[in-house]
Amino acid sequence: MKNLLVTGYRANELGIFNQKHPGIPFIREAIKRRLIPLIEEGLEWVLTPGQYGVDLWACEAVIELKQDYPQLKLSVLAAFAGMDEKWSDEKKEYWQTLQKQIDYYGLVSKEPYSGPWQFKARDGLLLRKSDGMLLVYDDEASPGSPRYFREAALQMREEEGYPLIQITPEDIQSVAEDMQADLADAHGDGGDWT
């Protein structure tokens, strides 16, 4: 697998409204842990739609991983121009910082938002350009925006064997527990040495 599409919920769908939310590092770490074996097997590009939420946390994960895997590249393909126009100043600043570290940034439509066709065109292009998908998704929750990517990936898997790798809330909880245990051990208040 050379090109992997990484996407999932928008931040507001997860009840996350700023970058200080304590769950973000766990989501980012869960993505990194899934990416590492794929990179070691030859993954070259991570593609994302660039929505505020899992997409941008995936960008952060890739940027962090590039320190150990400098060959890894990151691409954001947005649906339309000015996707951050209605974002808060904090979110815009965050996006602008990330954007400087992206290897390729493209727009499906150079026009501002004009209709859902722009999202459909973007999604279709991302699916065609990728060899598989890593999706942060909860089968038990309300479907939210990632359901369209999931449905398309499932159909492509049935038709042509397109790989769909899912990160579930249980995966993120496991990462959170690991990270908290590591932190406790580092501070000397975890672990039983008797």
Side-chain angles (χ1 to χ4, degrees), residues 10-21:
R10 295 178 185 171
N12 64 310
E13 293 175 312
L14 297 171
I16 297 174
F17 300 101
N18 63 50
Q19 283 303 108
K20 295 177 182 82
H21 192 280

Side-chain angles (χ1 to χ4, degrees), residues 14 38 61 67-68 95 149 188:
L14 297 171
L38 298 172
Q67 294 172 17
D68 294 323
W95 165 236
F149 273 117

Side-chain angles (χ1 to χ4, degrees), residues 28-103:
R28 190 172 49 237
E29 182 65 23
I31 292 168
K32 283 172 57 177
R33 290 182 184 189
R34 289 294 176 95
L35 288 176
I36 289 170
L38 298 172
I39 298 165
E40 292 175 350
E41 292 169 9
L43 179 66
E44 296 174 3
W45 282 89
V46 170
L47 319 171
T48 181
Q51 298 283 161
Y52 182 72
V54 169
D55 297 353
L56 296 187
W57 304 326
C59 289
E60 283 185 273
V62 171
I63 290 163
E64 288 175 23
L65 286 169
K66 287 173 122 197
Q67 294 172 17
D68 294 323
Y69 303 97
Q71 76 280 12
L72 186 62
K73 302 274 191 262
L74 175 60
S75 172
V76 172
L77 186 62
F80 53 89
M83 73 172 187
D84 62 341
E85 206 169 83
K86 295 182 180 176
W87 291 3
S88 69
D89 289 342
E90 176 196 9
K91 290 176 187 174
K92 283 181 185 177
E93 189 176 311
Y94 164 67
W95 165 236
Q96 289 163 0
T97 302
L98 285 178
Q99 202 172 8
K100 293 173 188 164
Q101 301 172 77
I102 292 169
D103 297 292

